[in-house]
Amino acid sequence: MQTLNGVVRIQPGTHYGFTVWDNPSASRKATSHAPLKAGSSWRVVKRAVVQGAVWYNLGGNQWIYGDQVNLISEQYRGMKTYTSSIPEDLIKLDDVQMAAKVNTRLVEIINQYRQQHGAVALRDNDTLMAAAKVRSQQEADAANAKDVYAADHNLPDGQPFYKEAHYAEYYSHVSFGGENLLITNGSEIEEIAQNAFNQWKNSPGHNANMLNPKFVDQGMGVICLHNGQWLALQDFGG
């Protein structure tokens, strides 16, 4: 869909003219307006492409099928906007979009788990989120370059994770910190998030971090590895 300041001329057709529709979708209905006469010209204010078909808007709920007109002048055409009637769960997401949704869902699951055990929900902290973004990429790079066992809690130069610049900045103002890391499998958002949570929950050290009442802030990073597995890294602080 885009705004358009232009003029269209109705192509030759039957003497009955061409129908005006209330919208360009498959559920459209003919309006009560008289059909447009062949050869007449009309100002148009919008252009839409619906399932490959072009439509022009004459103002309000008045649409004409693009194959029935010629665009004879145009003064302005706005930016395109895109919408979809496809349910969100059927839209194919790329790896970055999928990772972002897994990230959000995994944090939700962990916070629910904490609250069930009397701990406060972790707050998203900008500094820890920046740290987790850097750290998750570092460990993903290591896993992609070698194998999944190359991912650990050390920086590329061998220093411990809390020496990462963002984390070090945060850690200089608090007393407690920690980091969880894993690599898991899955093809759907909920499956990946649940797999990651269950792995951490079933590991005493990681589970202790998730439930530690001294932690109040968090940053999460999720990345799809080249082998199709998913790396998740969560930094904690309080």
Side-chain angles (χ1 to χ4, degrees):
M1 183 82 71
Q2 58 190 151
T3 57
L4 176 66
N5 182 1
V7 176
V8 296
R9 179 171 294 145
I10 310 301
Q11 293 182 358
T14 69
H15 64 280
Y16 297 109
F18 290 110
T19 303
V20 177
W21 302 90
D22 64 349
N23 71 80
S25 73
S27 61
R28 61 185 176 273
K29 296 180 181 178
T31 71
S32 58
H33 301 285
L36 304 182
K37 294 182 179 180
S40 62
S41 298
W42 299 84
R43 183 166 298 280
V44 291
V45 296
K46 289 181 182 179
R47 177 181 181 272
V49 179
V50 181
Q51 295 181 333
V54 176
W55 292 82
Y56 291 100
N57 179 250
L58 309 176
N61 298 324
Q62 302 177 91
W63 292 85
I64 184 72
Y65 187 40
D67 279 1
Q68 298 168 343
V69 303
N70 292 317
L71 183 64
I72 59 175
S73 71
E74 177 182 334
Q75 287 74 49
Y76 171 79
R77 186 178 295 216
M79 295 290 292
K80 294 178 181 178
T81 60
Y82 297 87
T83 58
S84 174
S85 59
I86 302 173
E88 184 177 355
D89 59 350
L90 296 182
I91 298 175
K92 177 63 176 177
L93 303 176
D94 64 30
D95 291 343
V96 174
Q97 293 170 321
M98 180 77 83
K101 290 184 177 293
V102 171
N103 186 322
T104 299
R105 181 59 183 141
L106 183 51
V107 172
E108 289 175 348
I109 295 172
I110 291 170
N111 277 337
Q112 290 169 0
Y113 182 53
R114 285 176 61 86
Q115 291 172 318
Q116 290 168 0
H117 288 77
V120 299
L122 296 167
R123 302 172 302 198
D124 290 343
N125 178 275
D126 289 343
T127 306
L128 285 184
M129 290 169 70
K133 182 178 180 180
V134 172
R135 288 285 302 121
S136 58
Q137 188 62 63
Q138 289 173 341
E139 300 312 320
D141 289 344
N144 286 330
K146 299 177 183 178
D147 55 49
V148 296
Y149 301 104
D152 58 25
H153 293 289
N154 295 325
L155 304 184
D157 63 3
Q159 295 188 87
F161 71 89
Y162 52 80
K163 294 294 186 179
E164 190 280 324
H166 299 94
Y167 199 98
E169 176 187 349
Y170 175 89
Y171 200 61
S172 65
H173 304 292
V174 301
S175 302
F176 304 98
E179 183 176 88
N180 277 359
L181 170 66
L182 61 75
I183 293 174
T184 194
N185 299 300
S187 58
E188 303 295 337
I189 295 167
E190 188 67 21
E191 178 189 17
I192 299 166
Q194 287 290 345
N195 285 348
F197 169 70
N198 289 333
Q199 283 181 223
W200 279 337
K201 181 180 179 181
N202 293 327
S203 169
H206 295 93
N207 188 58
N209 276 343
M210 288 197 297
L211 293 179
N212 192 332
K214 295 179 180 179
F215 293 151
V216 295
D217 296 323
Q218 75 88 34
M220 179 80 76
V222 176
I223 295 179
C224 183
L225 301 179
H226 293 168
N227 66 2
Q229 291 183 293
W230 297 85
L231 181 144
L233 182 146
Q234 187 172 31
D235 283 326
F236 303 90

